[in-house]
């Protein structure tokens, strides 16, 4: 090779590696920025889930309905995009939420209805998202009392409420350009002298009468009124979360959250959100087969446990709730199976899991981007 050729190759090589190094540096910078952004996003979601876990682990005497309200106010009241409205018994009575009131009447603790609104100034949503969370801060089962063994776990029967506020906290911290209303009925289910009795009949907010044949099927009663009230904000969709039935734990265990959805398109978004977070969803049936079982009632329009009680318990519970929803995009998440973690999820310690907070946040973010 001539000297001229060697000189040409040297200059060419120098130029090439200079450009390569410059490009590589830019790629590293971009990659580092992307990783930091993803890390921050994941950290915020984890903080939302950990807050839900913290609330679920609180002893019931340290997290009564009033103390739950206080905890939410302490955490969220100073956020500029969040408005908190706390409704007391007199307001609940004025709204004819008699199914909700029926559950609360056995306890000396006063019920509350919590309405939290998050609205980002850059939100372009034509209608909001509605979240509804079951907030039974302790569930004895009432007159249909639960077995004493493991009853202490029922301090987390407000898991739906905890995941709802945990999700809202993360949505706010992520500064997502969305509009979300969260509705949480809060009460205890106790076997006091004024407690509801098997066979009692109450009229819910939407006018339908309910025969209460099992007072331990109380979550669906308070959600019935909350779901109906959620319709007043004309939401794009309604998503409720509740530690509703032991039947979903029998069906799915801790492998996935059981989901009942009236819209396949909306379900597909939620399923993808679960795949993204690793906290999976599994669709369950909303057949008329189950609706017929809850509408076959001797004394009222509906029976709160259905004709065949234990058979398909999660499915009949969902069918019952559907009677109080007119929105075409409704998702019911039965989270009883994922309420606690023993050793199934390696990155979660033992105890209450706060699931599926991260998936709900991911779902809301995906909905915001689809506008």
């Amino acid at each position: 090779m001539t000297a001229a050729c060697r000189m040409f190759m040297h200059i060419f090589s120098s130029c090439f590696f200079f450009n390569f190094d410059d490009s590589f540096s830019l790629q590293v910078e971009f990659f580092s920025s992307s990783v930091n952004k993803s890390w921050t996003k994941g950290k915020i979601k984890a903080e939302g889930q950990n807050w839900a876990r913290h609330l679920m682990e609180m002893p019931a005497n340290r997290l009564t309905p009033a103390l739950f309200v206080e905890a939410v106010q302490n955490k969220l009241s100073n956020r500029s995009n969040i408005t908190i409205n706390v409704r007391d018994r007199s307001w609940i009575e004025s709204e004819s939420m008699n199914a909700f009131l029926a559950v609360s009447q056995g306890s000396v603790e006063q019920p509350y209805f919590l309405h939290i609104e998050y609205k980002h100034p850059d939100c372009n949503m034509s209608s909001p998202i509605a979240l509804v969370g079951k907030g039974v801060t302790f569930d004895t089962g009432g007159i249909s009392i639960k077995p004493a063994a493991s009853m202490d776990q029922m301090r987390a029967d407000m898991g739906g409420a905890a995941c709802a506020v945990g999700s809202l906290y993360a949505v706010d911290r992520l500064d997502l350009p969305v509009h979300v209303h969260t509705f949480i009925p809060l009460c205890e289910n106790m076997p006091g002298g004024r407690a509801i009795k098997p066979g009692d009949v109450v009229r819910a907010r939407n006018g339908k009468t309910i025969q209460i044949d099992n007072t331990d099927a109380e979550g669906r009663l308070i959600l019935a009124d909350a779901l109906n009230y959620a319709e007043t904000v004309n939401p794009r969709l309604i998503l409720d979360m509740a530690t509703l039935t032991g039947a979903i734990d029998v069906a799915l265990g801790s492998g996935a959250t059981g989901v009942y959805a009236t819209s396949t398109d909306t379900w597909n978004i939620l399923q993808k959100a679960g795949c993204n977070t690793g906290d999976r969803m599994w669709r369950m049936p909303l057949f008329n087969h189950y609706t017929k079982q809850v509408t076959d009632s001797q004394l009222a329009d509906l029976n709160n446990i259905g004709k065949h009680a234990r058979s398909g318990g999660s499915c009949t519970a969902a069918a019952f709730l559907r009677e109080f929803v007119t929105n075409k995009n409704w998702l019911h998440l039965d989270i009883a199976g994922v309420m606690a973690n023993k050793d199934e999820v390696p990155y979660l310690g033992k105890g209450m899991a706060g699931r599926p907070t991260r998936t709900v946040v991911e779902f809301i973010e995906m909905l915001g981007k689809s506008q």
Side-chain angles (χ1 to χ4, degrees):
M1 185 179 292
T2 65
C5 286
R6 284 196 296 270
M7 185 178 291
F8 175 80
M9 290 297 293
H10 175 72
I11 294 171
F12 178 82
S13 299
S14 297
C15 291
F16 174 79
F17 282 109
F18 174 79
N19 288 336
F20 175 79
D21 288 344
D22 190 47
S23 174
F24 181 71
S25 177
L26 289 172
Q27 289 178 30
V28 169
E29 184 179 347
F30 174 79
F31 179 74
S32 178
S33 174
S34 178
V35 168
N36 286 336
K37 185 177 179 181
S38 296
W39 176 267
T40 301
K41 181 178 176 181
K43 182 174 179 289
I44 290 171
K45 286 183 178 179
E47 288 172 354
Q49 181 165 346
N50 280 337
W51 185 36
R53 294 172 69 192
H54 173 75
L55 292 170
M56 293 170 72
E57 283 287 15
M58 289 289 287
N61 63 323
R62 299 294 181 89
L63 197 72
T64 61
L67 291 175
F68 187 101
V69 169
E70 185 178 317
V72 170
Q73 289 175 321
N74 289 340
K75 192 82 166 182
L76 301 179
S77 61
N78 63 341
R79 311 298 296 185
S80 60
N81 294 332
I82 290 179
T83 304
I84 302 173
N85 290 302
V86 182
R87 312 297 192 184
D88 61 10
R89 177 185 286 276
S90 62
W91 181 90
I92 298 167
E93 290 173 347
S94 72
E95 287 291 327
S96 300
M97 294 184 176
N98 299 311
F100 175 25
L101 288 168
V103 175
S104 71
Q105 70 190 40
S107 174
V108 296
E109 297 291 343
Q110 291 298 306
Y112 290 92
F113 190 89
L114 196 55
H115 178 189
I116 314 166
E117 181 181 9
Y118 168 86
K119 188 172 185 180
H120 194 279
D122 297 331
C123 174
N124 294 319
M125 284 184 168
S126 57
S127 54
I129 298 163
L131 298 183
V132 179
K134 174 187 171 184
V136 177
T137 58
F138 194 78
D139 180 19
T140 65
I143 297 298
S144 307
I145 199 163
K146 294 176 180 289
S150 301
M151 193 192 288
D152 66 294
Q153 297 286 303
M154 290 299 97
R155 66 184 182 275
D157 206 28
M158 32 57 70
C163 291
V165 296
S167 298
L168 203 65
Y169 169 79
V171 165
D172 178 66
R173 288 285 309 282
L174 291 168
D175 205 33
L176 298 184
V178 294
H179 186 191
V180 183
H181 285 271
T182 302
F183 304 97
I184 299 173
L186 292 158
C187 67
E188 290 183 337
N189 185 23
M190 301 291 284
R194 297 185 65 251
I196 47 174
K197 305 169 293 296
D200 283 0
V201 174
V202 297
R203 186 179 299 276
R205 185 179 185 276
N206 71 344
K208 291 186 178 181
T209 54
I210 305 166
Q211 180 176 336
I212 303 170
D213 275 354
N214 188 328
T215 66
D216 193 24
E218 87 299 332
R220 65 202 69 182
L221 297 176
I222 72 170
L223 287 174
D225 284 335
L227 286 167
N228 180 249
Y229 184 77
E231 303 266 14
T232 62
V233 299
N234 299 312
R236 170 184 178 179
L237 63 88
I238 300 175
L239 183 149
D240 77 75
M241 290 180 277
T243 51
L244 205 64
T245 68
I248 199 67
D249 185 34
V250 173
L252 300 178
S254 61
T257 293
V259 180
Y260 296 83
T262 55
S263 165
T264 297
D265 289 341
T266 306
W267 153 250
N268 287 338
I269 298 171
L270 181 65
Q271 183 186 38
K272 186 175 180 181
C275 291
N276 290 346
T277 63
D279 196 354
R280 294 172 293 189
M281 307 284 112
W282 190 261
R283 192 174 188 181
M284 300 290 287
L286 270 176
F287 300 152
N288 286 334
H289 173 87
Y290 302 113
T291 299
K292 291 175 182 177
Q293 293 180 30
V294 296
T295 54
D296 187 348
S297 179
Q298 183 181 5
L299 303 175
D301 298 320
L302 301 166
N303 189 292
N304 81 319
I305 56 169
K307 187 176 181 180
H308 300 298
R310 293 177 61 85
S311 299
S314 180
C315 300
T316 52
F320 178 91
L321 292 180
R322 191 180 186 181
E323 294 297 303
F324 300 90
V325 180
T326 60
N327 193 294
K328 293 181 180 179
N329 288 313
W330 170 58
L331 298 145
H332 162 55
L333 279 57
D334 193 338
I335 63 173
V338 301
M339 180 183 82
N341 188 61
K342 295 181 282 291
D343 56 10
E344 305 94 332
V345 182
Y347 59 81
L348 290 177
K350 291 183 180 180
M352 301 309 167
R355 297 171 62 189
T357 299
R358 289 179 297 108
T359 296
V360 173
V361 176
E362 181 79 7
F363 174 65
I364 292 171
E365 184 175 10
M366 292 170 70
L367 289 173
K369 291 177 179 178
S370 68
Q371 287 295 309

